[in-house]
Amino acid sequence: MDMQAQVAALIGEAEQQLVDGVWDLTRGGRALALQVAAGLGNAVGAPEGREDMADIERLEHLREALAVLAIALARTHGRLAWFLAQGSAALTPVLHWRALPAGDGPAFNTVLPTAEQFTRAEDAVRRLSAMLTRLGT
C-alpha cells in the first residue's frame, strides 16, 4: 500500500472512531493536534510552485514534517499518539530518499524519488494536517 493509501486508511479509521464516540480528545490533545497540523502545513506549504523547487528543498521539507510528527509523538499518548505514529509510519519511504547523486560509492540503500513521489508525499502530509485540524477543532 502506498503512502497516500495508508494515510487515507488512517484518516478513515480516525473518522470512524470519532463517529463511534470511541475517540474524544482532551483539550490538551486538541491543542496538540492543531499545533502539529500547523507544523505540517508550514513544512510542506501549499501545492502551488512545489514542482519548481529543488529536490533537496522538497526532501528537507518532507523530513521536517516527519520531525514534527516525531516530536509531537514524544509528547502524547493514547489514540493521538497512535494516530501520529501511524502517520509517521506511512511517510517512512521519505527516509529512504536522497536528493543528491550517489556517485561511485554506496548510498545506504537510498533512492532518488521521482517528482510524482515528492508530490504524493507532500499531499499525504497535507491530508494528515487537514485531519489533525479537524481533530483539534
PDB file of all heavy atoms in Angstrom, residues 93-134:
ATOM      1  N   PRO A  93       8.804   5.977   3.642  1.00  0.00           N
ATOM      2  CA  PRO A  93       9.585   5.949   2.403  1.00  0.00           C
ATOM      3  C   PRO A  93      10.467   7.187   2.214  1.00  0.00           C
ATOM      4  O   PRO A  93      11.541   7.103   1.617  1.00  0.00           O
ATOM      5  CB  PRO A  93       8.519   5.855   1.309  1.00  0.00           C
ATOM      6  CG  PRO A  93       7.387   5.144   1.961  1.00  0.00           C
ATOM      7  CD  PRO A  93       7.385   5.671   3.382  1.00  0.00           C
ATOM      8  N   VAL A  94      10.037   8.309   2.759  1.00  0.00           N
ATOM      9  CA  VAL A  94      10.818   9.548   2.655  1.00  0.00           C
ATOM     10  C   VAL A  94      12.208   9.348   3.257  1.00  0.00           C
ATOM     11  O   VAL A  94      13.192   9.928   2.784  1.00  0.00           O
ATOM     12  CB  VAL A  94      10.069  10.709   3.346  1.00  0.00           C
ATOM     13  CG1 VAL A  94      10.951  11.936   3.495  1.00  0.00           C
ATOM     14  CG2 VAL A  94       8.794  11.046   2.580  1.00  0.00           C
ATOM     15  N   LEU A  95      12.312   8.505   4.274  1.00  0.00           N
ATOM     16  CA  LEU A  95      13.601   8.265   4.926  1.00  0.00           C
ATOM     17  C   LEU A  95      14.573   7.501   4.036  1.00  0.00           C
ATOM     18  O   LEU A  95      15.772   7.459   4.326  1.00  0.00           O
ATOM     19  CB  LEU A  95      13.388   7.520   6.241  1.00  0.00           C
ATOM     20  CG  LEU A  95      12.557   8.264   7.281  1.00  0.00           C
ATOM     21  CD1 LEU A  95      12.292   7.359   8.480  1.00  0.00           C
ATOM     22  CD2 LEU A  95      13.239   9.551   7.691  1.00  0.00           C
ATOM     23  N   HIS A  96      14.066   6.920   2.965  1.00  0.00           N
ATOM     24  CA  HIS A  96      14.924   6.162   2.048  1.00  0.00           C
ATOM     25  C   HIS A  96      15.267   6.971   0.793  1.00  0.00           C
ATOM     26  O   HIS A  96      15.890   6.445  -0.126  1.00  0.00           O
ATOM     27  CB  HIS A  96      14.232   4.851   1.645  1.00  0.00           C
ATOM     28  CG  HIS A  96      13.948   3.971   2.809  1.00  0.00           C
ATOM     29  ND1 HIS A  96      14.896   3.173   3.393  1.00  0.00           N
ATOM     30  CD2 HIS A  96      12.817   3.796   3.531  1.00  0.00           C
ATOM     31  CE1 HIS A  96      14.363   2.535   4.411  1.00  0.00           C
ATOM     32  NE2 HIS A  96      13.101   2.898   4.512  1.00  0.00           N
ATOM     33  N   TRP A  97      14.840   8.212   0.775  1.00  0.00           N
ATOM     34  CA  TRP A  97      15.076   9.056  -0.391  1.00  0.00           C
ATOM     35  C   TRP A  97      16.327   9.898  -0.210  1.00  0.00           C
ATOM     36  O   TRP A  97      16.705  10.253   0.899  1.00  0.00           O
ATOM     37  CB  TRP A  97      13.896   9.988  -0.626  1.00  0.00           C
ATOM     38  CG  TRP A  97      12.623   9.292  -0.992  1.00  0.00           C
ATOM     39  CD1 TRP A  97      12.441   7.967  -1.271  1.00  0.00           C
ATOM     40  CD2 TRP A  97      11.339   9.900  -1.112  1.00  0.00           C
ATOM     41  NE1 TRP A  97      11.122   7.716  -1.556  1.00  0.00           N
ATOM     42  CE2 TRP A  97      10.426   8.888  -1.470  1.00  0.00           C
ATOM     43  CE3 TRP A  97      10.868  11.195  -0.955  1.00  0.00           C
ATOM     44  CZ2 TRP A  97       9.075   9.140  -1.672  1.00  0.00           C
ATOM     45  CZ3 TRP A  97       9.530  11.446  -1.153  1.00  0.00           C
ATOM     46  CH2 TRP A  97       8.642  10.427  -1.519  1.00  0.00           C
ATOM     47  N   ARG A  98      16.933  10.226  -1.314  1.00  0.00           N
ATOM     48  CA  ARG A  98      18.053  11.168  -1.314  1.00  0.00           C
ATOM     49  C   ARG A  98      17.820  12.142  -2.459  1.00  0.00           C
ATOM     50  O   ARG A  98      17.107  11.849  -3.415  1.00  0.00           O
ATOM     51  CB  ARG A  98      19.389  10.450  -1.450  1.00  0.00           C
ATOM     52  CG  ARG A  98      19.621   9.804  -2.806  1.00  0.00           C
ATOM     53  CD  ARG A  98      21.054   9.231  -2.905  1.00  0.00           C
ATOM     54  NE  ARG A  98      21.329   8.813  -4.265  1.00  0.00           N
ATOM     55  CZ  ARG A  98      21.054   7.620  -4.758  1.00  0.00           C
ATOM     56  NH1 ARG A  98      20.487   6.698  -3.999  1.00  0.00           N
ATOM     57  NH2 ARG A  98      21.336   7.328  -6.012  1.00  0.00           N
ATOM     58  N   ALA A  99      18.438  13.295  -2.370  1.00  0.00           N
ATOM     59  CA  ALA A  99      18.313  14.304  -3.418  1.00  0.00           C
ATOM     60  C   ALA A  99      19.632  14.513  -4.155  1.00  0.00           C
ATOM     61  O   ALA A  99      19.668  15.194  -5.169  1.00  0.00           O
ATOM     62  CB  ALA A  99      17.842  15.629  -2.822  1.00  0.00           C
ATOM     63  N   LEU A 100      20.681  13.905  -3.661  1.00  0.00           N
ATOM     64  CA  LEU A 100      21.998  14.063  -4.273  1.00  0.00           C
ATOM     65  C   LEU A 100      22.410  12.769  -4.967  1.00  0.00           C
ATOM     66  O   LEU A 100      22.064  11.677  -4.501  1.00  0.00           O
ATOM     67  CB  LEU A 100      23.032  14.421  -3.196  1.00  0.00           C
ATOM     68  CG  LEU A 100      22.740  15.687  -2.398  1.00  0.00           C
ATOM     69  CD1 LEU A 100      23.749  15.840  -1.268  1.00  0.00           C
ATOM     70  CD2 LEU A 100      22.754  16.905  -3.307  1.00  0.00           C
ATOM     71  N   PRO A 101      23.159  12.879  -6.054  1.00  0.00           N
ATOM     72  CA  PRO A 101      23.637  11.655  -6.721  1.00  0.00           C
ATOM     73  C   PRO A 101      24.598  10.895  -5.801  1.00  0.00           C
ATOM     74  O   PRO A 101      25.317  11.491  -5.003  1.00  0.00           O
ATOM     75  CB  PRO A 101      24.344  12.164  -7.976  1.00  0.00           C
ATOM     76  CG  PRO A 101      24.530  13.629  -7.793  1.00  0.00           C
ATOM     77  CD  PRO A 101      23.587  14.092  -6.727  1.00  0.00           C
ATOM     78  N   ALA A 102      24.593   9.586  -5.931  1.00  0.00           N
ATOM     79  CA  ALA A 102      25.422   8.741  -5.070  1.00  0.00           C
ATOM     80  C   ALA A 102      26.872   8.698  -5.516  1.00  0.00           C
ATOM     81  O   ALA A 102      27.739   8.292  -4.750  1.00  0.00           O
ATOM     82  CB  ALA A 102      24.855   7.329  -5.022  1.00  0.00           C
ATOM     83  N   GLY A 103      27.130   9.095  -6.741  1.00  0.00           N
ATOM     84  CA  GLY A 103      28.498   8.986  -7.235  1.00  0.00           C
ATOM     85  C   GLY A 103      28.863   7.533  -7.443  1.00  0.00           C
ATOM     86  O   GLY A 103      28.023   6.701  -7.765  1.00  0.00           O
ATOM     87  N   ASP A 104      30.100   7.202  -7.187  1.00  0.00           N
ATOM     88  CA  ASP A 104      30.567   5.835  -7.406  1.00  0.00           C
ATOM     89  C   ASP A 104      30.446   4.945  -6.179  1.00  0.00           C
ATOM     90  O   ASP A 104      30.638   3.746  -6.268  1.00  0.00           O
ATOM     91  CB  ASP A 104      32.033   5.858  -7.855  1.00  0.00           C
ATOM     92  CG  ASP A 104      32.207   6.515  -9.218  1.00  0.00           C
ATOM     93  OD1 ASP A 104      31.233   6.490 -10.006  1.00  0.00           O
ATOM     94  OD2 ASP A 104      33.285   7.059  -9.481  1.00  0.00           O
ATOM     95  N   GLY A 105      30.126   5.520  -5.045  1.00  0.00           N
ATOM     96  CA  GLY A 105      30.091   4.734  -3.817  1.00  0.00           C
ATOM     97  C   GLY A 105      28.697   4.285  -3.446  1.00  0.00           C
ATOM     98  O   GLY A 105      27.707   4.606  -4.113  1.00  0.00           O
ATOM     99  N   PRO A 106      28.619   3.540  -2.347  1.00  0.00           N
ATOM    100  CA  PRO A 106      27.310   3.093  -1.852  1.00  0.00           C
ATOM    101  C   PRO A 106      26.501   4.278  -1.343  1.00  0.00           C
ATOM    102  O   PRO A 106      27.047   5.315  -0.982  1.00  0.00           O
ATOM    103  CB  PRO A 106      27.659   2.127  -0.727  1.00  0.00           C
ATOM    104  CG  PRO A 106      29.046   2.477  -0.319  1.00  0.00           C
ATOM    105  CD  PRO A 106      29.726   3.078  -1.509  1.00  0.00           C
ATOM    106  N   ALA A 107      25.190   4.105  -1.297  1.00  0.00           N
ATOM    107  CA  ALA A 107      24.297   5.200  -0.906  1.00  0.00           C
ATOM    108  C   ALA A 107      23.364   4.792   0.234  1.00  0.00           C
ATOM    109  O   ALA A 107      22.274   5.342   0.365  1.00  0.00           O
ATOM    110  CB  ALA A 107      23.497   5.658  -2.116  1.00  0.00           C
ATOM    111  N   PHE A 108      23.783   3.818   1.047  1.00  0.00           N
ATOM    112  CA  PHE A 108      22.989   3.395   2.205  1.00  0.00           C
ATOM    113  C   PHE A 108      21.573   2.973   1.813  1.00  0.00           C
ATOM    114  O   PHE A 108      20.612   3.224   2.534  1.00  0.00           O
ATOM    115  CB  PHE A 108      22.940   4.492   3.272  1.00  0.00           C
ATOM    116  CG  PHE A 108      24.289   4.887   3.804  1.00  0.00           C
ATOM    117  CD1 PHE A 108      24.933   6.008   3.321  1.00  0.00           C
ATOM    118  CD2 PHE A 108      24.915   4.112   4.761  1.00  0.00           C
ATOM    119  CE1 PHE A 108      26.181   6.375   3.789  1.00  0.00           C
ATOM    120  CE2 PHE A 108      26.164   4.462   5.246  1.00  0.00           C
ATOM    121  CZ  PHE A 108      26.796   5.598   4.758  1.00  0.00           C
ATOM    122  N   ASN A 109      21.437   2.372   0.646  1.00  0.00           N
ATOM    123  CA  ASN A 109      20.151   1.894   0.128  1.00  0.00           C
ATOM    124  C   ASN A 109      19.124   2.998  -0.089  1.00  0.00           C
ATOM    125  O   ASN A 109      17.920   2.759  -0.027  1.00  0.00           O
ATOM    126  CB  ASN A 109      19.563   0.800   1.029  1.00  0.00           C
ATOM    127  CG  ASN A 109      20.397  -0.455   1.007  1.00  0.00           C
ATOM    128  OD1 ASN A 109      20.882  -0.867  -0.048  1.00  0.00           O
ATOM    129  ND2 ASN A 109      20.583  -1.062   2.151  1.00  0.00           N
ATOM    130  N   THR A 110      19.603   4.204  -0.325  1.00  0.00           N
ATOM    131  CA  THR A 110      18.690   5.309  -0.630  1.00  0.00           C
ATOM    132  C   THR A 110      18.437   5.357  -2.129  1.00  0.00           C
ATOM    133  O   THR A 110      19.209   4.824  -2.919  1.00  0.00           O
ATOM    134  CB  THR A 110      19.269   6.656  -0.170  1.00  0.00           C
ATOM    135  OG1 THR A 110      20.522   6.879  -0.818  1.00  0.00           O
ATOM    136  CG2 THR A 110      19.432   6.693   1.345  1.00  0.00           C
ATOM    137  N   VAL A 111      17.331   5.993  -2.485  1.00  0.00           N
ATOM    138  CA  VAL A 111      16.956   6.110  -3.896  1.00  0.00           C
ATOM    139  C   VAL A 111      16.586   7.553  -4.209  1.00  0.00           C
ATOM    140  O   VAL A 111      16.223   8.320  -3.317  1.00  0.00           O
ATOM    141  CB  VAL A 111      15.759   5.190  -4.241  1.00  0.00           C
ATOM    142  CG1 VAL A 111      16.119   3.726  -4.055  1.00  0.00           C
ATOM    143  CG2 VAL A 111      14.544   5.546  -3.413  1.00  0.00           C
ATOM    144  N   LEU A 112      16.678   7.882  -5.475  1.00  0.00           N
ATOM    145  CA  LEU A 112      16.243   9.196  -5.934  1.00  0.00           C
ATOM    146  C   LEU A 112      14.741   9.117  -6.244  1.00  0.00           C
ATOM    147  O   LEU A 112      14.337   8.347  -7.116  1.00  0.00           O
ATOM    148  CB  LEU A 112      17.017   9.616  -7.187  1.00  0.00           C
ATOM    149  CG  LEU A 112      18.502   9.907  -6.983  1.00  0.00           C
ATOM    150  CD1 LEU A 112      19.211  10.030  -8.334  1.00  0.00           C
ATOM    151  CD2 LEU A 112      18.678  11.175  -6.167  1.00  0.00           C
ATOM    152  N   PRO A 113      13.912   9.862  -5.534  1.00  0.00           N
ATOM    153  CA  PRO A 113      12.469   9.814  -5.792  1.00  0.00           C
ATOM    154  C   PRO A 113      12.124  10.585  -7.068  1.00  0.00           C
ATOM    155  O   PRO A 113      12.864  11.472  -7.504  1.00  0.00           O
ATOM    156  CB  PRO A 113      11.856  10.493  -4.571  1.00  0.00           C
ATOM    157  CG  PRO A 113      12.921  11.417  -4.106  1.00  0.00           C
ATOM    158  CD  PRO A 113      14.232  10.753  -4.432  1.00  0.00           C
ATOM    159  N   THR A 114      11.002  10.237  -7.641  1.00  0.00           N
ATOM    160  CA  THR A 114      10.509  10.954  -8.814  1.00  0.00           C
ATOM    161  C   THR A 114       9.752  12.205  -8.356  1.00  0.00           C
ATOM    162  O   THR A 114       9.374  12.331  -7.183  1.00  0.00           O
ATOM    163  CB  THR A 114       9.549  10.075  -9.628  1.00  0.00           C
ATOM    164  OG1 THR A 114       8.378   9.817  -8.823  1.00  0.00           O
ATOM    165  CG2 THR A 114      10.207   8.767 -10.044  1.00  0.00           C
ATOM    166  N   ALA A 115       9.508  13.092  -9.292  1.00  0.00           N
ATOM    167  CA  ALA A 115       8.709  14.287  -8.985  1.00  0.00           C
ATOM    168  C   ALA A 115       7.317  13.881  -8.495  1.00  0.00           C
ATOM    169  O   ALA A 115       6.768  14.497  -7.570  1.00  0.00           O
ATOM    170  CB  ALA A 115       8.616  15.184 -10.215  1.00  0.00           C
ATOM    171  N   GLU A 116       6.757  12.833  -9.072  1.00  0.00           N
ATOM    172  CA  GLU A 116       5.431  12.366  -8.646  1.00  0.00           C
ATOM    173  C   GLU A 116       5.468  11.843  -7.213  1.00  0.00           C
ATOM    174  O   GLU A 116       4.532  12.066  -6.435  1.00  0.00           O
ATOM    175  CB  GLU A 116       4.906  11.275  -9.577  1.00  0.00           C
ATOM    176  CG  GLU A 116       3.528  10.777  -9.179  1.00  0.00           C
ATOM    177  CD  GLU A 116       2.985   9.687 -10.075  1.00  0.00           C
ATOM    178  OE1 GLU A 116       3.551   9.440 -11.152  1.00  0.00           O
ATOM    179  OE2 GLU A 116       1.983   9.078  -9.677  1.00  0.00           O
ATOM    180  N   GLN A 117       6.537  11.161  -6.835  1.00  0.00           N
ATOM    181  CA  GLN A 117       6.646  10.673  -5.463  1.00  0.00           C
ATOM    182  C   GLN A 117       6.714  11.837  -4.478  1.00  0.00           C
ATOM    183  O   GLN A 117       6.097  11.786  -3.408  1.00  0.00           O
ATOM    184  CB  GLN A 117       7.872   9.763  -5.310  1.00  0.00           C
ATOM    185  CG  GLN A 117       7.683   8.401  -5.952  1.00  0.00           C
ATOM    186  CD  GLN A 117       8.945   7.580  -5.910  1.00  0.00           C
ATOM    187  OE1 GLN A 117      10.007   8.014  -6.372  1.00  0.00           O
ATOM    188  NE2 GLN A 117       8.841   6.388  -5.340  1.00  0.00           N
ATOM    189  N   PHE A 118       7.470  12.873  -4.820  1.00  0.00           N
ATOM    190  CA  PHE A 118       7.506  14.063  -3.968  1.00  0.00           C
ATOM    191  C   PHE A 118       6.099  14.634  -3.808  1.00  0.00           C
ATOM    192  O   PHE A 118       5.656  14.941  -2.703  1.00  0.00           O
ATOM    193  CB  PHE A 118       8.413  15.145  -4.561  1.00  0.00           C
ATOM    194  CG  PHE A 118       9.871  14.988  -4.221  1.00  0.00           C
ATOM    195  CD1 PHE A 118      10.807  14.871  -5.223  1.00  0.00           C
ATOM    196  CD2 PHE A 118      10.313  14.997  -2.904  1.00  0.00           C
ATOM    197  CE1 PHE A 118      12.158  14.752  -4.932  1.00  0.00           C
ATOM    198  CE2 PHE A 118      11.661  14.873  -2.597  1.00  0.00           C
ATOM    199  CZ  PHE A 118      12.584  14.744  -3.618  1.00  0.00           C
ATOM    200  N   THR A 119       5.394  14.781  -4.926  1.00  0.00           N
ATOM    201  CA  THR A 119       4.057  15.366  -4.911  1.00  0.00           C
ATOM    202  C   THR A 119       3.104  14.526  -4.075  1.00  0.00           C
ATOM    203  O   THR A 119       2.324  15.056  -3.273  1.00  0.00           O
ATOM    204  CB  THR A 119       3.528  15.532  -6.346  1.00  0.00           C
ATOM    205  OG1 THR A 119       4.418  16.403  -7.053  1.00  0.00           O
ATOM    206  CG2 THR A 119       2.137  16.104  -6.374  1.00  0.00           C
ATOM    207  N   ARG A 120       3.175  13.227  -4.227  1.00  0.00           N
ATOM    208  CA  ARG A 120       2.282  12.343  -3.477  1.00  0.00           C
ATOM    209  C   ARG A 120       2.604  12.388  -1.980  1.00  0.00           C
ATOM    210  O   ARG A 120       1.703  12.366  -1.148  1.00  0.00           O
ATOM    211  CB  ARG A 120       2.364  10.922  -4.025  1.00  0.00           C
ATOM    212  CG  ARG A 120       1.782  10.818  -5.445  1.00  0.00           C
ATOM    213  CD  ARG A 120       1.951   9.437  -6.068  1.00  0.00           C
ATOM    214  NE  ARG A 120       1.224   8.400  -5.389  1.00  0.00           N
ATOM    215  CZ  ARG A 120      -0.076   8.142  -5.547  1.00  0.00           C
ATOM    216  NH1 ARG A 120      -0.788   8.861  -6.380  1.00  0.00           N
ATOM    217  NH2 ARG A 120      -0.656   7.156  -4.882  1.00  0.00           N
ATOM    218  N   ALA A 121       3.870  12.460  -1.625  1.00  0.00           N
ATOM    219  CA  ALA A 121       4.260  12.551  -0.217  1.00  0.00           C
ATOM    220  C   ALA A 121       3.787  13.874   0.379  1.00  0.00           C
ATOM    221  O   ALA A 121       3.254  13.903   1.505  1.00  0.00           O
ATOM    222  CB  ALA A 121       5.772  12.409  -0.071  1.00  0.00           C
ATOM    223  N   GLU A 122       3.956  14.954  -0.354  1.00  0.00           N
ATOM    224  CA  GLU A 122       3.500  16.261   0.128  1.00  0.00           C
ATOM    225  C   GLU A 122       1.985  16.276   0.309  1.00  0.00           C
ATOM    226  O   GLU A 122       1.471  16.827   1.292  1.00  0.00           O
ATOM    227  CB  GLU A 122       3.951  17.361  -0.836  1.00  0.00           C
ATOM    228  CG  GLU A 122       5.453  17.576  -0.815  1.00  0.00           C
ATOM    229  CD  GLU A 122       6.002  18.278  -2.048  1.00  0.00           C
ATOM    230  OE1 GLU A 122       5.263  18.434  -3.051  1.00  0.00           O
ATOM    231  OE2 GLU A 122       7.186  18.660  -2.021  1.00  0.00           O
ATOM    232  N   ASP A 123       1.279  15.644  -0.615  1.00  0.00           N
ATOM    233  CA  ASP A 123      -0.176  15.558  -0.496  1.00  0.00           C
ATOM    234  C   ASP A 123      -0.569  14.746   0.741  1.00  0.00           C
ATOM    235  O   ASP A 123      -1.511  15.110   1.453  1.00  0.00           O
ATOM    236  CB  ASP A 123      -0.784  14.939  -1.757  1.00  0.00           C
ATOM    237  CG  ASP A 123      -2.293  14.840  -1.671  1.00  0.00           C
ATOM    238  OD1 ASP A 123      -2.952  15.899  -1.547  1.00  0.00           O
ATOM    239  OD2 ASP A 123      -2.828  13.709  -1.702  1.00  0.00           O
ATOM    240  N   ALA A 124       0.147  13.676   1.001  1.00  0.00           N
ATOM    241  CA  ALA A 124      -0.143  12.862   2.184  1.00  0.00           C
ATOM    242  C   ALA A 124       0.045  13.686   3.460  1.00  0.00           C
ATOM    243  O   ALA A 124      -0.768  13.605   4.386  1.00  0.00           O
ATOM    244  CB  ALA A 124       0.750  11.618   2.204  1.00  0.00           C
ATOM    245  N   VAL A 125       1.092  14.499   3.499  1.00  0.00           N
ATOM    246  CA  VAL A 125       1.327  15.357   4.661  1.00  0.00           C
ATOM    247  C   VAL A 125       0.191  16.368   4.802  1.00  0.00           C
ATOM    248  O   VAL A 125      -0.305  16.609   5.907  1.00  0.00           O
ATOM    249  CB  VAL A 125       2.693  16.077   4.562  1.00  0.00           C
ATOM    250  CG1 VAL A 125       2.841  17.127   5.658  1.00  0.00           C
ATOM    251  CG2 VAL A 125       3.832  15.069   4.630  1.00  0.00           C
ATOM    252  N   ARG A 126      -0.246  16.936   3.697  1.00  0.00           N
ATOM    253  CA  ARG A 126      -1.359  17.898   3.752  1.00  0.00           C
ATOM    254  C   ARG A 126      -2.646  17.241   4.250  1.00  0.00           C
ATOM    255  O   ARG A 126      -3.413  17.847   4.985  1.00  0.00           O
ATOM    256  CB  ARG A 126      -1.586  18.520   2.373  1.00  0.00           C
ATOM    257  CG  ARG A 126      -0.541  19.532   2.007  1.00  0.00           C
ATOM    258  CD  ARG A 126      -0.866  20.247   0.681  1.00  0.00           C
ATOM    259  NE  ARG A 126       0.368  20.781   0.181  1.00  0.00           N
ATOM    260  CZ  ARG A 126       1.139  20.202  -0.739  1.00  0.00           C
ATOM    261  NH1 ARG A 126       0.757  19.074  -1.316  1.00  0.00           N
ATOM    262  NH2 ARG A 126       2.271  20.759  -1.113  1.00  0.00           N
ATOM    263  N   ARG A 127      -2.877  16.003   3.848  1.00  0.00           N
ATOM    264  CA  ARG A 127      -4.076  15.286   4.305  1.00  0.00           C
ATOM    265  C   ARG A 127      -3.999  15.000   5.802  1.00  0.00           C
ATOM    266  O   ARG A 127      -4.993  15.124   6.514  1.00  0.00           O
ATOM    267  CB  ARG A 127      -4.265  14.001   3.507  1.00  0.00           C
ATOM    268  CG  ARG A 127      -4.594  14.326   2.031  1.00  0.00           C
ATOM    269  CD  ARG A 127      -4.998  13.140   1.242  1.00  0.00           C
ATOM    270  NE  ARG A 127      -6.302  12.698   1.717  1.00  0.00           N
ATOM    271  CZ  ARG A 127      -6.787  11.483   1.526  1.00  0.00           C
ATOM    272  NH1 ARG A 127      -6.092  10.595   0.869  1.00  0.00           N
ATOM    273  NH2 ARG A 127      -7.959  11.142   1.986  1.00  0.00           N
ATOM    274  N   LEU A 128      -2.812  14.629   6.293  1.00  0.00           N
ATOM    275  CA  LEU A 128      -2.638  14.446   7.733  1.00  0.00           C
ATOM    276  C   LEU A 128      -2.883  15.761   8.463  1.00  0.00           C
ATOM    277  O   LEU A 128      -3.547  15.790   9.503  1.00  0.00           O
ATOM    278  CB  LEU A 128      -1.224  13.939   8.048  1.00  0.00           C
ATOM    279  CG  LEU A 128      -0.935  12.479   7.761  1.00  0.00           C
ATOM    280  CD1 LEU A 128       0.553  12.199   7.924  1.00  0.00           C
ATOM    281  CD2 LEU A 128      -1.761  11.579   8.669  1.00  0.00           C
ATOM    282  N   SER A 129      -2.360  16.836   7.930  1.00  0.00           N
ATOM    283  CA  SER A 129      -2.543  18.151   8.531  1.00  0.00           C
ATOM    284  C   SER A 129      -4.017  18.520   8.597  1.00  0.00           C
ATOM    285  O   SER A 129      -4.509  19.011   9.631  1.00  0.00           O
ATOM    286  CB  SER A 129      -1.767  19.209   7.732  1.00  0.00           C
ATOM    287  OG  SER A 129      -1.971  20.483   8.264  1.00  0.00           O
ATOM    288  N   ALA A 130      -4.744  18.271   7.517  1.00  0.00           N
ATOM    289  CA  ALA A 130      -6.166  18.586   7.484  1.00  0.00           C
ATOM    290  C   ALA A 130      -6.935  17.777   8.521  1.00  0.00           C
ATOM    291  O   ALA A 130      -7.823  18.305   9.207  1.00  0.00           O
ATOM    292  CB  ALA A 130      -6.744  18.346   6.086  1.00  0.00           C
ATOM    293  N   MET A 131      -6.597  16.502   8.670  1.00  0.00           N
ATOM    294  CA  MET A 131      -7.282  15.666   9.664  1.00  0.00           C
ATOM    295  C   MET A 131      -6.964  16.139  11.075  1.00  0.00           C
ATOM    296  O   MET A 131      -7.838  16.181  11.938  1.00  0.00           O
ATOM    297  CB  MET A 131      -6.912  14.184   9.477  1.00  0.00           C
ATOM    298  CG  MET A 131      -7.641  13.259  10.422  1.00  0.00           C
ATOM    299  SD  MET A 131      -9.421  13.320  10.142  1.00  0.00           S
ATOM    300  CE  MET A 131     -10.028  12.670  11.674  1.00  0.00           C
ATOM    301  N   LEU A 132      -5.722  16.488  11.320  1.00  0.00           N
ATOM    302  CA  LEU A 132      -5.353  16.986  12.642  1.00  0.00           C
ATOM    303  C   LEU A 132      -6.056  18.299  12.955  1.00  0.00           C
ATOM    304  O   LEU A 132      -6.434  18.547  14.107  1.00  0.00           O
ATOM    305  CB  LEU A 132      -3.831  17.120  12.745  1.00  0.00           C
ATOM    306  CG  LEU A 132      -3.098  15.783  12.877  1.00  0.00           C
ATOM    307  CD1 LEU A 132      -1.635  15.915  12.490  1.00  0.00           C
ATOM    308  CD2 LEU A 132      -3.241  15.233  14.289  1.00  0.00           C
ATOM    309  N   THR A 133      -6.266  19.120  11.952  1.00  0.00           N
ATOM    310  CA  THR A 133      -7.025  20.351  12.148  1.00  0.00           C
ATOM    311  C   THR A 133      -8.453  20.018  12.561  1.00  0.00           C
ATOM    312  O   THR A 133      -9.010  20.620  13.494  1.00  0.00           O
ATOM    313  CB  THR A 133      -7.015  21.218  10.872  1.00  0.00           C
ATOM    314  OG1 THR A 133      -5.654  21.597  10.584  1.00  0.00           O
ATOM    315  CG2 THR A 133      -7.862  22.464  11.030  1.00  0.00           C
ATOM    316  N   ARG A 134      -9.063  19.041  11.880  1.00  0.00           N
ATOM    317  CA  ARG A 134     -10.422  18.616  12.256  1.00  0.00           C
ATOM    318  C   ARG A 134     -10.462  18.064  13.679  1.00  0.00           C
ATOM    319  O   ARG A 134     -11.393  18.313  14.432  1.00  0.00           O
ATOM    320  CB  ARG A 134     -10.958  17.575  11.258  1.00  0.00           C
ATOM    321  CG  ARG A 134     -11.290  18.165   9.912  1.00  0.00           C
ATOM    322  CD  ARG A 134     -12.159  17.244   9.063  1.00  0.00           C
ATOM    323  NE  ARG A 134     -11.640  15.931   8.846  1.00  0.00           N
ATOM    324  CZ  ARG A 134     -10.947  15.536   7.759  1.00  0.00           C
ATOM    325  NH1 ARG A 134     -10.688  16.389   6.798  1.00  0.00           N
ATOM    326  NH2 ARG A 134     -10.530  14.305   7.652  1.00  0.00           N
TER     327      ARG A 134
END
